[in-house]
Amino acid sequence: MFLGIEWYWWIVIVVAVGVSIPFKVKFMKWWSKRQQEKKNGQRGKWGDDE
């Protein structure tokens, strides 16, 4: 087969990539939101002092 990998391994690879993409998108949205909250939380303060 292509690159010496059997056909069923290609199915496994495609499924793994297909499952990981939505998790990556969700993580990126969460990370962006977290960074934005962190940035807004420090506005008007001197460093991390409360």
Side-chain angles (χ1 to χ4, degrees), residues 10-46:
W10 285 112
I11 293 173
V12 171
I13 291 169
V14 168
V15 168
V17 169
V19 169
S20 67
I21 289 174
F23 284 113
K24 181 180 178 184
V25 170
K26 187 173 182 178
F27 174 78
M28 293 301 288
K29 286 182 181 179
W30 171 80
W31 187 258
S32 175
K33 183 179 170 186
R34 180 176 176 266
Q35 291 297 324
Q36 189 67 31
E37 289 173 356
K38 216 175 187 183
K39 185 178 177 183
N40 290 340
Q42 289 186 357
R43 189 169 290 154
K45 295 182 181 176
W46 291 93

Side-chain angles (χ1 to χ4, degrees), residues 1-7 9-10 13:
M1 290 296 295
F2 188 65
L3 294 176
I5 299 176
E6 294 295 329
W7 63 271
W9 285 114
W10 285 112
I13 291 169

